Amino acid sequence: MKWFVLQLCLVLIWVPQNFCMDKNETSEEKMIYSTSVMSMVKLLEMEESLKTNLDIYVQEMQSKLDLIKLYRESLKRESLTTLEEKEEYVSNPLNAFPLLRRLNQDWPKWLRYIKLGIVSKKTKEMEVQLKSAPIDDDLKVALKGMTRIEKFHNLHAEDLTKGVLMGKKLNSHLTAPDCVALADYYYNQTQFSGSTHWYRMALRLHTHPHDMIYAKVLGLKRKRIYKKYAKALLKESLTLDKTKPTPTEKSEWNRLAKEVSREDNYDNVKKLIDEYLSGDEKIFQEVAARQKRKPTKLERGCRGEWPRKSSPELICRYNRDTSAFLNLAPLKLEFLSVQPMILLYHDVLYENEFKSMRDIAMYNDSMIDGWTYVDFDKKGNPKQQDRVVKIISFQGTTAPFTLSINRRLADMSGLEMRENMVLYLTNYGLGGHFGKHVDYVELAKRPQDFFADFGGDRIATALFYASDVPLGGTTVFTKLKIAVKPKKGNALIWFNLNHAGEPDPLTEHSVCPVVLGSRWIISKWIHERQQVFKKPCLA
């Protein structure tokens, strides 16, 4: 048989050599140690080697555990048990943004790091939980909200990293990865002067011991930030010149930006940046202040820079006129404008009404994304601009809060509500705002059968402020220079159409970015068709 196999191997030369050898000849013989003391010495040496490797493994696992503990320590916060405590925590953008960014960027990397060599039931549970983590689009919305807060209120990156928000010191801060995410966002939007401040903050915060976490787990090495910062500085200097660069100039700057990223240039780049960073941060802030554009009218309104209007017509009084019921229970009314009519009622929303609506929205998870609208298409439908809020509509006529709020609104406005009882509950998100817009449809853009299909135009708008907002969230009428801060229980009513039923462009309004707090409002649009008997001239 052996002779046959050898002959076959000679004929089939492509057959692997080990197939041609006798099985007994090819298999390595296992050593028998117990038959000799000298052989047993080898076993001792073998175990010593295994012990050494085990010690190294224990050290590696301890280093890994120390790193995980360090990250766990960085996530410590006070115990939050009630819904109000949790809402207050995430209504601070310096808590909300890092939370969302960590779940989108850091936690998936941590899970991969933890699973290296260890797969347990808990890691599988974490994997399932992270399937519901914020997606990249969600992070983009949060980044946009943070940069909106920064721009609208002329805030400094250094203050934000230290937890200082519009002069208010908060128990929160930003980390190096947070700063890099903001810097990358500005850079990708070609807003290089915005990115350089955040890359600079990232380098200042990329320090021991957390630099080990950033480099080993998150892949954020200090060298990488140096290169990004150098490129941003180069491109910033290009855009500081107000004249548009020629294609040749643009190409040259892009070439230089690539040069600073080269590995053989790193030491020189690092040395230059370290010298640059040795300067006082206040110097950087002063230079940035000189380069910033003048604030827009809207930004000035959001910063509280408009003077308060005074006029004999703008008075505060108790309203007893717009319904018979108000003769018995008058409401506190403040006139903010006469033409167009803008009214502010005080203490007209009950806490239990708001909580009933909020509980339905929260526990049914029925709130949907809301958008800002800046224009209408040819069919009269609003065009969406930016996702900024969560919103839910309450359309029934049986819920006690729907009936009571609509009834009170009819008393306050003197208008009819019965044909349209819908109310909208809205909650603004991180840096949530509403761009300049009007609530009516311009005459030229009204579709056919506008009155029949849409109930006519929105004769009036009502906003009930259901929460206090410590910073931001102001309703501003940009053309009138009127700013109304959200105060829990107050209601703002304005008339979008004049007495002839024509749209009034002076009602253009906006909502400033929410800086700190949770902005809850209950809103309603009141249409023309309902008012055929109340306002016969408009019919």
Side-chain angles (χ1 to χ4, degrees), residues 5-20:
V5 172
L6 288 171
Q7 292 298 316
L8 184 61
C9 285
L10 290 173
V11 176
L12 304 174
I13 57 173
W14 52 268
V15 177
Q17 187 176 358
N18 62 345
F19 177 76
C20 303

Side-chain angles (χ1 to χ4, degrees), residues 71 84 95 134 145 180 267 272 283 358-359 397 461 469 523 537:
Y71 184 62
E84 286 73 19
N95 290 332
V180 169
D267 289 337
L272 286 171
I283 298 173
R358 186 195 63 181
D359 290 347
T397 57
T461 301
V469 182
S523 60
C537 294

Side-chain angles (χ1 to χ4, degrees), residues 412-424:
M412 290 155 57
S413 64
L415 298 174
E416 184 59 65
M417 304 292 148
R418 279 179 291 186
E419 287 187 27
N420 175 21
M421 301 289 282
V422 64
L423 297 171
Y424 296 94

